Amino acid sequence: QVQLVESGGGLVQAGGSLRLSCAASGHTFSSLSMGWFRQAPGKEREFVATVRRHGGDSTYYADSAKGRFSIARETAKNTVHLQMSSLKPEDTAVYYCAAGTNVLDAIYALEYDYWGQGTQVTVSS
């Protein structure tokens, strides 16, 4: 059973930066595709970024994240990071780490088998 523990959320002013981390255990880390999703109040959970287990850790981002967010795997620590910069109030949400062993399209939450508890990110204007 994979366990995911997120950290790094908090309150930041617009234009600021945060780095979220997700520590994974219970599975060979390199065999997992790792993703970040977010859910704002009253909205559906949406895809943010992924780093796939195939293709040399290829990454993919939602349009809202391109150019501002960066996902990276730190294999030695079984951890995936989401570096967020130029944050906007609309980035305010609970951010969830997700892991999957057979992720193909990467943008659909149903493809991920395991989820963390979430970490709150609040961006003030």
Side-chain angles (χ1 to χ4, degrees), residues 31-90:
S31 68
L32 295 171
S33 291
M34 304 296 296
W36 285 95
F37 287 73
R38 66 186 183 186
Q39 188 166 17
K43 295 187 176 182
E44 292 187 354
R45 191 170 298 191
E46 65 175 5
F47 168 76
V48 176
T50 189
V51 54
R52 297 185 180 93
R53 69 185 183 112
H54 298 299
D57 279 353
S58 62
T59 58
Y60 184 73
Y61 298 89
D63 287 344
S64 59
K66 286 178 183 176
R68 300 188 301 127
F69 295 3
S70 177
I71 188 171
R73 194 191 293 266
E74 187 176 2
T75 303
K77 294 185 177 181
N78 288 355
T79 298
V80 63
H81 303 288
L82 183 69
Q83 179 67 48
M84 305 185 295
S85 59
S86 302
L87 284 162
K88 306 173 183 179
E90 50 264 44

Side-chain angles (χ1 to χ4, degrees), residues 13 18 35 59 77 87 94 125:
Q13 289 188 330
L18 278 176
T59 58
K77 294 185 177 181
L87 284 162
V94 177
S125 57

